[in-house]
Amino acid sequence: MGGEMIVCGVDLKSSEARLVLVSVENNDPHLIPCKTKKLTLGDDKDSSAIKSFLQAIKTFAHENGVAVFAIKARAKGGQMGGGAISFKIETLFQLSDCDVVFVNATALSKFSKTNLGGIPDGVLKYQYDAYRCGVFQLAKAGRL
C-alpha cells in the first residue's frame, strides 16, 4: 500500500473552498483534524488576491502533506451550474503543484449511501461533501 496518503476533499461554494483532510487508519477512513476549514478568495478580479489564494493553497498542501485534492465537480451550466468564481478557484487548485481529481456529484451521492460515506464526529455540516470527496478518492485509489 505504501505510506500514508492524505487526501484533501474540496467543496466549492461561490468564492469559498471548503476543505477536509482524510487518510486511512486501520483500513477505515480517518478524519485529520485541521484548523483550516476553508479558504476564501477575495476580489477575483484582483491579480494579487488570485496569487495570494494560490499561495494559500500551496502552503496548505505543503503544511498538511496533501497528496491529492479531490474536488466535487459542478455542472458547467444550467440551474445547478457553478459560478465563474468557483471555476477560477478550481483552476488555482490545478496550478497548486498537487494532483487534482474531480468527483462526479452523482457518484458522490451514491457513495454517501454506503458505509464508507458516513460522516464522523468533527466534520461540520458545511464540510460534508468535502469529506465525502476525500473518502471517495481514497476508496477509488484502492486505499479502503
Side-chain angles (χ1 to χ4, degrees):
M1 284 283 170
E4 180 183 39
M5 177 182 189
I6 297 175
V7 175
C8 180
V10 181
D11 183 24
L12 302 177
K13 292 282 189 255
S14 63
S15 62
E16 190 174 88
R18 298 163 177 191
L19 312 169
V20 176
L21 295 171
V22 293
S23 66
V24 177
E25 197 171 272
N26 300 322
N27 297 320
D28 285 321
H30 171 68
L31 173 67
I32 299 171
C34 182
K35 284 187 284 203
T36 304
K37 298 190 183 336
K38 54 187 160 183
L39 297 174
T40 304
L41 174 61
D43 182 354
D44 73 301
K45 303 278 187 263
D46 178 9
S47 61
S48 66
I50 295 284
K51 289 174 185 169
S52 175
F53 190 85
L54 175 59
Q55 189 55 52
I57 294 169
K58 288 180 174 183
T59 300
F60 176 83
H62 176 74
E63 288 177 352
N64 293 288
V66 174
V68 61
F69 286 107
I71 300 175
K72 180 182 175 188
R74 289 140 9 273
K76 288 188 169 65
Q79 191 174 358
M80 297 303 288
I85 295 172
S86 63
F87 287 110
K88 264 187 189 178
I89 292 173
E90 224 173 60
T91 303
L92 293 170
F93 274 94
Q94 289 174 302
L95 293 171
S96 72
D97 304 328
C98 277
D99 288 338
V100 174
V101 296
F102 292 94
V103 180
N104 176 287
T106 305
L108 195 62
S109 179
K110 286 180 185 166
F111 180 74
S112 71
K113 294 172 176 64
T114 69
N115 286 340
L116 289 177
I119 304 292
D121 290 343
V123 178
L124 302 174
K125 189 159 181 57
Y126 71 84
Q127 295 177 300
Y128 283 9
D129 279 347
Y131 174 81
R132 286 191 185 110
C133 280
V135 176
F136 180 90
Q137 181 56 32
L138 285 169
K140 190 174 174 193
R143 299 289 180 134
L144 292 173

